[in-house]
Amino acid sequence: MPNISHNLAQIHACIREAAKKYDKNPADIQLLAVSKTQPASALIEAYTAGQRQFGENYAQELEQKATSLANLDITWHFIGPIQSNKTRVIAQYSHWVHSIDRRKIAERLNLQRPLHMPPIQVCIQVNIDNEASKSGVSPSELAELINAINPLPNLKLRGLMAIPEPSNAKYAFEQLQQLALKYNLKTLSMGMSGDMEKAIAAGSTLLRVGTAIFGARKPVHQAQQ
Ligand SMILES: *Cc1c(COP(=O)(O)O)cnc(C)c1O
């Protein structure tokens, strides 16, 4: 059994250390606990240790957890690929959505956000590596998507997100940082268990960390999506 509170304390220590090394303010770097496939009990353990921001990849799993843990003060981040038939659930349960990569998804989330809720805080996922298999908008199409999202009243554009190839992480993080500067976006959702330090060096403000907090995941069954 992983010791979640111990792992969280270690990650916070790593963040402080890397922030110092790269001359960043540790208060600008938030930790998102990626809890996909983990049972609710693991989230409660992290919550008890002070963790408040959680990231989920599958709409159904987000719905289940957000419903069963509704009494906790959790900020839910949706970080997985978005199919258009799942946007209603995502719009209902997410405070943040990191993985917007096309206009249609942004428009559906905007339309389906319940009216009594504040705007969804969103990031655009950018495909820095430009691999055909991966989701994310290409840097050359980014301006167009930003212009499509900005007028939508129920979305608030906060920043950019990327999941680079591990071998290419340093370059990709630096590219994402440049793009965020260019478009004056403050949130950089980048860095996972294996590349936190590189992401902090390039100015990450939101680390998405799963394995280093919760231990290895079991394989995901398709039905969960
Ligand atoms: C699973 C996942 C993570 C966490 O990855 P770890 O290597 O377990 O830290 C981060 N971001 C996204 C988009 C993910 O799907």
Side-chain angles (χ1 to χ4, degrees), residues 34 36 57 79-80 161 163 191-194 208-212 215 217:
V34 177
K36 62 183 176 212
N57 288 57
I79 63 174
M161 180 270 230
I163 315 173
M192 319 199 325
S193 296
R208 307 180 311 269
V209 178
T211 313
R217 286 178 291 274

Side-chain angles (χ1 to χ4, degrees), residues 177-193:
Q177 183 184 37
Q178 290 306 313
L179 288 170
L181 272 174
K182 179 173 173 186
Y183 295 107
N184 196 26
L185 295 166
K186 304 289 182 224
T187 297
L188 275 172
S189 169
M190 59 188 199
M192 319 199 325
S193 296

